[in-house]
Structures are given as C-alpha cells and as structure tokens.
Amino acid sequence: MNKTSIELKQGVKAHIINTDLYKTDLTCIILTTTLKRETVTKTALIPFLLRRGTAKLPNQYLINKEMENMYGASFNCGIDKMGDNIILKFYIESISNEYALNNEDILKMNIENILDIVFNPIKKNNLLNEDFLAVEKDNLKKVIESKIDEKDSYAFDNCISTMYGEEGFGLYKFGYVEDIDSITIQDISEYYNWLINNCKIDIFISGKIKSHDMESLLNNNDNIKNLKPRIENYILNNEFTESKQIVENVKEITENMNVTQGKLVIGLDITSKKENLLASSLVYNAILGDGANSMMFQNVREKAGLAYSAKSTFVKQKMNIFIRCGIQIENYEKAIEIIKLQLENIKNGEFTDEDIENAKTYLIAGLKNVEEEQDTEVVYYIGQEIAKTNLSLEEYIEKINQVTKENILDVANSIQINTIYFLRN
C-alpha cells in the first residue's frame, strides 16, 4: 500500500491510496466544517438533497441507472460528528478496471460521478431543486425524532450535550426538529454555496489505480476547476489542542422515560498533557472498559452482575472517556460505587503487566484489521487528516507499543468525572 496526498488548491486535497488488497475502487469526498447551532440542521440536510440528482443525472433513478452501468457500483452518503466538526461523506464503490468486460475506465466514471453529485447538483434559477426540499425535510425530521428509539445512543448523546451544551461537540449531528420548518430553498441554496466555498474538502481514492495520473485527472475536471481556494473552515481537535477545566461540581442528570433498563453514562475528562498522550489514553481505556478483558466487563458486568452491558468509549478528538452501562434501575448506586472503584484501582496501580499486554494486543489487532476493509482504511486516514496527525498504521502501532505503566498511571491520575447521566423510568 502506498498513500500520497496532493493539494489541488488551498483547502482542497486529494489522497491517493494505491493498494492491491481489494477488487474494488473507492472514491470518497469529505466536506468538513465547524459544528454550529445555527447551521447544523442545514448542514444535515445537504446530503439528503444532493443524493437526489445532479445536473447531468437529475433524479435518483438516473443515478441508480448509472451505478448499474458501472457493473453494480454503490453510492451512499452520510454525516458524522468528529470533535467540534461535522463531516459530510459521499462515496462510490466500483469494481476495479481490470474486471470490466469491455475495457471501460470505471474508475474515471466513479470519480466523475461522485464529483458531480457533490459539486454539480441539479438547480433551477441557481437554486437547489425545491421539489426535493419538502420531502427531505420530512425525512430529516423522522431521523431526528427516531433517535429516541435507540436508548443507548440516546443516553450517550445526552451525556455529551450536558457536558458541552449547544456548542461544537455538544450538538446533535442531524440538527433539531424546531429548525426544519423555517428552512427555505433560498436558505439551503445559499448555505450550500457557502459550504462548498469555505469547508475543508478531502477526496480519498483507494484501489488499483497505478495506471492513472490522478493529479491530472482531477485538475482537468470542471468541478475541481470551479472550486475556489479557501482557508479551511473547521476546528482542529487532537491531543494537543484540548484543554480541560477543573470540574468543581460533577453534573448529575437523571432523565425519566418509559424504559425497562436503566442507561448510565459517565463522562470523564483526561486532563494530562504528557507526551504520547493519545496512545497512553487508548491503552488506559482498553484496560478500563474496552474489550472482554477490561475491568468494566470483568468486575462490573461479570463478577458483580450489576450491568447487562459495561464498557467505555474513548473520544480522541475531545480527550474524553465515556463509561456506558445498561443496568437494573435499582442498581444505580451500587453501579456508581463499583465503577468509581475501578477508576481508583487503576490510579493506585492495581493492574498487571499482563493487563497492559492484553490491552496493547487488543488495540494492535484492531489497527491491523483496518486494512482488511477498504472503507475502514479510508475512514482511518480521514481521521488522521482532519486531526492533522497523519500517522501511518505502523507508526500508530509503534506508539501503542511504547506505552509504559507510568504513562497509564499518568492518564489515570489525570482523570476527572465531569458528568453522570442516568436514563431511568
């Protein structure tokens, strides 16, 4: 595998991943911009609208037909929250050129189609298609309203919003129902134009693409030619940028709902600034609650029997760890007590060299599996690019191997509880 990056224009990059591991080519366009309360709902609407048609393929039927002509290529799009930013993802996966029956250049078709979907949408009087807007506003409303159906994710999101409020990371990535009705076709069209002219743009192309001059192919595309240079409008989040305030009073939030199982989420801040903090935090989190060998799984779930599920999630962009448990509602106090005990035990060094090695083995196995799936590999490099860390998998593994017990103790002693959120009946 060989990865190179090309700056097409200021704020617009192409990342070429040459690999023989897959029989498919994957082109992914990532638009990254800052999460803001006043724009998050409009941002979430953009992929819903763009997927409906381009100037050349003005409806979904024709887009689907084009995918069929590319030997059953697949197109999809979505939204993710990454720290204080929202990323819009658009991708087409198609067979590699060597499998085309009539020597078609499927990769070129792949790239041209995805660029058209994102940068050349169907318009009328310089506005996005108004016929699509009402339908997609309704679809977005249903997506937002359905978040309550997944109670584990709902509790996790609410803990985050309690910690961060209506700024950046605290916002819900799909926006808010109360904003939807007021969005007009003029509003969304103006916002789309602003987004395309100001957001960070990354184009990832993965596959057997050695025979193509990618820089020339992209620079000669009219959609790329029409893009303006920009100062990337997004917030850099990584282990060096995040600064946590001392928590004077832990926030304790209880929400009542018709649930049969309580959902407990505890938000932790990592306040350390020591070297190699990201890797040390990963190993700490693996010992605490990521995996079947972790303290949360073994002590809270298995031995104490206090939780149906017990795990912890590390959010590296914000240097937070979230402990997440599904518990019987009457076990709330006991669960809090034993979870705090796990945190204290790690602070006191009550973990073994075997625990460290198990955590490292678990994490490294996950990193080695990144290359097994093409989209997972692309997602890895998206995260590296947005965080401006740009570590290869080998470099990432080396940093994990370098973590010592002293590093883990430093993380453990820098942990502070920020918020305790409990969803119960």
Side-chain angles (χ1 to χ4, degrees), residues 57-76:
L57 303 168
N59 56 55
Q60 284 182 304
Y61 170 79
L62 290 175
I63 290 177
N64 292 337
K65 191 71 175 176
E66 180 70 0
M67 296 302 109
E68 290 177 15
N69 293 338
M70 295 165 60
Y71 296 89
S74 60
F75 159 68
N76 214 331

Side-chain angles (χ1 to χ4, degrees), residues 144-162:
I144 297 170
E145 290 173 342
S146 69
K147 74 174 183 176
I148 201 170
D149 297 338
E150 287 290 332
K151 299 300 189 292
D152 185 64
S153 298
Y154 175 82
F156 181 45
D157 286 339
N158 280 9
C159 182
I160 292 172
S161 66
T162 300

Side-chain angles (χ1 to χ4, degrees), residues 92-230:
I92 291 178
E93 185 178 29
S94 59
I95 63 167
S96 295
N97 280 353
E98 65 185 280
Y99 303 108
L101 298 178
N102 301 306
N103 296 317
E104 301 100 323
D105 193 343
I106 303 298
L107 177 58
K108 185 178 180 183
M109 295 168 65
N110 177 326
I111 294 168
E112 289 177 346
N113 280 316
I114 197 68
L115 289 172
D116 261 357
I117 287 170
V118 178
F119 301 118
N120 191 24
I122 181 172
K123 290 185 177 181
K124 184 177 181 180
N125 298 325
N126 208 33
L127 299 174
L128 296 174
N129 193 314
E130 190 167 11
D131 293 338
F132 299 155
L133 182 59
V135 174
E136 296 305 342
K137 284 167 68 171
D138 189 55
N139 287 335
L140 180 60
K141 188 178 294 186
K142 290 175 182 175
V143 169
I144 297 170
E145 290 173 342
S146 69
K147 74 174 183 176
I148 201 170
D149 297 338
E150 287 290 332
K151 299 300 189 292
D152 185 64
S153 298
Y154 175 82
F156 181 45
D157 286 339
N158 280 9
C159 182
I160 292 172
S161 66
T162 300
M163 289 173 67
Y164 285 92
E166 289 195 341
E167 292 187 9
F169 188 54
L171 296 169
Y172 184 51
K173 66 181 181 180
F174 286 108
Y176 301 88
V177 168
E178 60 266 29
D179 296 345
I180 292 176
D181 287 343
S182 64
I183 296 173
T184 66
I185 195 63
Q186 287 80 11
D187 292 333
I188 199 68
S189 299
E190 288 174 6
Y191 181 70
Y192 167 78
N193 291 334
W194 178 91
L195 181 69
I196 295 303
N197 287 323
N198 291 276
C199 73
K200 173 176 172 55
I201 298 176
D202 291 282
I203 302 166
F204 288 83
I205 304 171
S206 167
K208 300 178 182 180
I209 50 184
K210 297 172 187 174
S211 61
H212 285 76
D213 180 352
M214 282 297 154
E215 188 169 4
S216 176
L217 190 156
L218 290 167
N219 278 324
N220 287 325
N221 182 278
D222 286 341
N223 292 299
I224 298 297
K225 290 179 181 178
N226 290 335
L227 292 175
K228 298 176 181 177
R230 78 279 316 281

